[in-house]
Amino acid sequence: MLPWTTPDDRPCLVITDGEGGPVSDLADSIEEMQLDIGEELLRHARAMHADPKVPDREFRFLSRRLAEALSDALRVARN
């Protein structure tokens, strides 16, 4: 399974002979980047929680980004 979906939100699949290839390598690179972004968002969230002056709108924005990162991480984990 690739780390993106079709426009109608169905999974994208690549068929390989087990050797990988350029599309498979690209998918692996994107998955790694998605996980790195999730880790960065988590660090940012922890810092924001420590600051009582952070506005609610920033928490809402962070919440949306964390939900996206979690969705990506779950897709990677189920791969």
Side-chain angles (χ1 to χ4, degrees), residues 11-46:
C12 290
L13 305 173
V14 63
I15 299 171
T16 69
D17 58 3
E19 299 278 327
V23 174
S24 181
D25 291 345
L26 174 63
D28 290 344
S29 296
I30 291 172
E31 286 177 349
E32 184 65 32
M33 183 176 57
Q34 289 171 327
L35 293 174
D36 290 344
I37 289 169
E39 288 176 345
E40 184 177 331
L41 284 167
L42 185 56
R43 282 191 299 275
H44 188 62
R46 288 181 174 143

Side-chain angles (χ1 to χ4, degrees), residues 34 37-46 48-49 58-74:
Q34 289 171 327
I37 289 169
E39 288 176 345
E40 184 177 331
L41 284 167
L42 185 56
R43 282 191 299 275
H44 188 62
R46 288 181 174 143
M48 285 178 69
H49 280 275
E58 289 187 33
F59 275 116
R60 285 192 300 277
F61 179 79
L62 177 65
S63 175
R64 286 191 297 271
R65 301 295 78 82
L66 285 169
E68 291 168 359
L70 178 58
S71 178
D72 290 341
L74 290 172

